[in-house]
Amino acid sequence: MSSPSARMLELLSLLQTGRRWPAADLAARLGVSARTLRRDLDRLRDLGYPVASARGPGGSYQLVAGQAMPPLLLTDDEAVATVVGLRFAALTHADGDTGAADNALRKLEQVLPGRLRHRVRAVAASIETGSRPEQGLDLRTLRLLGTAAHSHQHVRFDYTSRTGQRSERRVEPYRQVLFGRRWYLLGWDRDRADWRTFRLDRISGLTVPGTTFAPRELPESGAVSFVQDSARYPITRRQGVVRFAAPVEVVSARLIPQAGTLEAVDEHTCRYVTAPDSWEWLAIVLAMVGVPYTIEGPAELIAYSRQLADRIARATSHPPV
């Protein structure tokens, strides 16, 4: 029989999987009698682990949520995965202004055994991210929206549009999506009777009145695709359409993927559709792709592209000195 401490750790590891264990299975896994198993379970309860028991043939046991957070038992791989996740959250500022991920990371690294500390630091030091939010995430907003979505509760908040207009919104929250460098909420706008996406950094005054709703079917495209399309092509913005005289593989390597959609027309040409904040900016980006292209619309993009071409022509019309 293993030592009592090793046996307790193994028992805790089994219970932390979340499943309900028949008493006979637990005793067999640990190689102990039913009486010893009950004694070990009582020790865990004394240490603050809420182990629930159910009556029945042989009985069963399960670790449930308690009022306090006792120490967790993690395997080596689980510890590394946890640290990597916290490191990513800190790098992308997903812990908001409070630095919650950084603080949790420091606490966890302090209690890691020596054999893991070097491995974790090596992995963490090698991690970089090319997609950082433009500002810290408000963890309170993320938490309230997540809880309301899970329990199907209405939310209310003030929302500032991209043009600076403020409005009060009454919404059924469903999903929170990280796209590009921003977090979005997918919800059913009760006043507009339609699906809408909201940038979390533009939400303020969030409240949860306590009323509930019957959940709807999500858009057919799925939450992520709907948010991506909404972010690329907002209802208030017009789309630019450009046809490139080059294969899609060539053009895709030279455009920002989050800025629009690029689809092959045939093996020699492709079409790019986007809804930019600035037509002038798009005119410059298109010229930088470095392949021939035709602008199919709108008129604003055509006008800015002609102005850009004129400026370049005038700048190069004089012979070099």
Side-chain angles (χ1 to χ4, degrees):
M1 181 183 297
S2 60
S3 67
S5 353
R7 192 176 65 243
M8 290 279 289
L9 289 175
E10 185 177 357
L11 173 59
L12 181 56
S13 179
L14 292 172
L15 289 173
Q16 284 185 336
T17 60
R19 61 170 286 191
R20 181 177 294 279
W21 285 89
D25 289 354
L26 274 180
R29 291 287 294 267
L30 298 172
V32 297
S33 66
R35 180 179 179 181
T36 300
L37 174 63
R38 289 193 295 271
R39 188 165 58 243
D40 288 346
L41 289 166
D42 286 339
R43 290 196 185 103
L44 283 182
R45 293 188 181 103
D46 291 340
L47 291 172
Y49 293 94
V51 181
S53 58
R55 296 182 178 181
S60 62
Y61 300 94
Q62 184 179 29
L63 191 66
V64 297
Q67 295 181 346
M69 183 177 176
L72 295 175
L73 179 65
L74 301 175
T75 66
D76 288 5
D77 287 343
E78 290 169 347
V80 172
T82 301
V83 170
V84 169
L86 289 171
R87 175 68 68 185
F88 178 78
L91 284 173
T92 58
H93 305 298
D95 52 354
D97 297 331
T98 62
D102 257 333
N103 293 336
L105 184 59
R106 283 193 293 269
K107 291 178 182 178
L108 184 56
E109 287 178 340
Q110 286 177 356
V111 298
L112 286 175
R115 70 177 187 278
L116 282 182
R117 192 173 296 112
H118 174 73
R119 186 191 311 176
V120 163
R121 286 176 178 172
V123 173
S126 68
I127 296 175
E128 291 289 346
T129 176
S131 177
R132 301 190 180 204
E134 294 185 341
Q135 61 182 44
L137 173 65
D138 184 347
L139 292 180
R140 177 183 178 276
T141 298
L142 189 76
R143 174 177 55 81
L144 286 178
L145 289 175
T147 303
H150 181 72
S151 55
H152 309 309
Q153 291 184 299
H154 293 117
V155 295
R156 288 188 177 186
F157 52 80
D158 294 326
Y159 191 70
T160 304
S161 70
R162 59 182 295 271
T163 60
Q165 296 180 336
R166 294 174 60 88
S167 59
E168 183 179 0
R169 314 303 279 265
R170 303 187 308 148
V171 175
E172 298 174 3
Y174 284 85
R175 296 288 188 275
Q176 297 183 93
V177 177
L178 176 60
F179 174 58
R181 297 180 297 168
R182 300 186 180 99
W183 283 89
Y184 294 85
L185 168 69
L186 170 63
W188 178 267
D189 191 311
R190 299 170 62 193
D191 296 313
R192 292 156 182 79
D194 199 3
W195 292 102
R196 289 289 190 271
T197 59
F198 307 93
R199 273 177 45 179
L200 262 63
D201 60 307
R202 292 177 176 168
I203 291 176
S204 61
L206 174 64
T207 60
V208 183
T211 56
T212 60
F213 59 88
R216 307 170 188 271
E217 291 291 333
L218 291 174
E220 291 184 5
S221 59
V224 173
S225 293
F226 188 92
V227 169
Q228 288 177 341
D229 290 342
S230 298
R232 288 170 177 158
Y233 314 127
I235 295 174
T236 58
R237 289 160 67 181
R238 300 180 64 188
Q239 298 180 18
V241 183
V242 180
R243 182 170 177 142
F244 287 98
V248 67
E249 296 81 8
V250 173
V251 178
S252 63
R254 308 182 187 187
L255 283 172
I256 303 173
Q258 289 90 351
T261 57
L262 183 68
E263 297 180 350
V265 176
D266 52 46
E267 59 181 7
H268 301 296
T269 61
C270 57
R271 180 174 283 106
Y272 181 55
V273 181
T274 185
D277 290 319
S278 166
W279 295 116
E280 187 173 16
W281 170 85
L282 180 58
I284 296 172
V285 169
L286 295 175
M288 292 175 62
V289 174
V291 301
Y293 61 94
T294 302
I295 299 174
E296 299 182 357
E300 293 91 335
L301 178 57
I302 294 174
Y304 276 112
S305 297
R306 286 174 176 167
Q307 292 174 16
L308 176 63
D310 289 341
R311 287 200 298 269
I312 294 174
R314 287 195 298 271
T316 57
S317 62
H318 302 289
V321 178

